[in-house]
Amino acid sequence: MPDLLKKKNLDILEKEFGTINKLSEQIISGDIRTLSRCITLSESSREDHQIFARAVLGKILPKTGNSLRIGISGPPGVGKSTFIETLGLYLLKKNKKIAVLAVDPSSAKSGGSILGDKTRMEKLSQSEKVFIRPSPAGTTLGGVGRHTREALLLCEAAGYDTIFVETVGVGQSESAVSNIIDIFYLLISPGGGDELQGIKRGIVELADLIIINKADGSLKKDAENIARDYSSAVKLLRPRFNNWVTKVLTCSALENTGIDKIWNSTEEFFQKFNKEREILNYRKDQYRKWLREEIIQNLNKQIYSSTKINGLIEFYENKVLVGDILPSDAAYEIVNNFLKK
Ligand SMILES: Nc1nc2c(ncn2[C@@H]2O[C@H](COP(=O)(O)OP(=O)(O)OP(=O)(O)O)[C@@H](O)[C@H]2O)c(=O)[nH]1
Ligand SMILES: [Mg+2]
């Protein structure tokens, strides 16, 4: 880190936010304000802030890795927030410390949904053992990955043992999130008609638990039918892990039914993988991917911020456009040139 942040800048940042040592101590002691502030710094568009936050994170890295990392996804309105509230309250009784990171594509900057989600998770957010925070999806492809991962690690260092990463909607962010979490819940609710069609197959393939929510009142029968459909459908899919067949369960987040079954399955999942150390290997794979993503992003940034290369890109772009050279050959020349620099 010291290479990346000049001593002078570091002094200024430490004066403004506190020293790296102090900040990391406060996070480890569970200080929520410091945790929030460091997450904000890591999400900042200012590079010096990001590097500074990473310096804090680097310091507390040995304290990370001790949570159950749970991804939750599902179409808008399926009941994700209600479900997290109900499951969260259930887990509080088991003495868990819970963090909820809601990946919000709409709030690249403003942190838009936090109020909405806090009111939906009203009881949960009142507990001092719960930390709820939107995680902006960011503007880059890797945005979800980096922001959320850093927030998650910071939460782990602060002692949260169960961390939910909620993604809104069903799309690109889910596969990014699946590179961060251990177990993936897909929530589905009855009432939409053609449910099996509505959710992309790729998302269903990511799920370790498929949870049919809203199995209550007049929707109960439909929920059971959909559960049956999914149970046969998942048999045709390739599971994420060799020794885990995707489970399909029903619940009502509103009426608080079926929650214990879901938690029992989750514990079964973790027991199985801890025993076989598969989780550890899986997390190693995630770190390998993370490293590679960051390399690409770094290179990308460096290439496009080099004036010399930008000139070269323009030169080759003109040649490409008049049909003098193939884009792939032009790219090869440009990259070669950059590497010689
Ligand atoms: N009947 C019934 N309604 C539910 C259940 N869970 C949630 N709802 C209702 O469904 C609506 C949406 O719930 P949310 O928890 O906000 O859904 P969400 O998936 O977080 O929605 P977004 O964050 O907007 O994507 C609310 O009106 C809830 O009261 C349930 O188990 N049964
Ligand atoms: Mg929600």
Side-chain angles (χ1 to χ4, degrees), residues 210-213 215 223-224 227 248-252 257-259 261-262:
I210 294 177
I211 297 169
I212 319 295
N213 187 35
E224 279 157 9
V248 183
L249 299 167
T250 58
C251 79
S252 167
T257 55
I259 298 297
K261 259 186 317 183
I262 290 165

Side-chain angles (χ1 to χ4, degrees), residues 6 13 15 20 62 64 80 103 113 123 133 138 153 167 179 192 215 233 243 245 313-314 317 340:
K6 300 250 171 353
L13 289 170
K15 214 166 186 162
I20 290 172
T64 64
K80 296 178 291 295
V103 177
S113 78
K123 286 199 202 111
R133 165 102 193 181
L153 292 173
T167 46
N179 286 327
N243 49 2
V245 179
I313 292 176
E314 215 177 294
E317 196 172 72
K340 271 192 222 133

Side-chain angles (χ1 to χ4, degrees), residues 75-82 120 166 168 213-214 216 252-254:
V78 67
K80 296 178 291 295
S81 303
T82 313
R120 263 178 241 166
E166 175 190 347
V168 183
N213 187 35
K214 306 195 185 181
D216 50 45
S252 167
L254 206 60

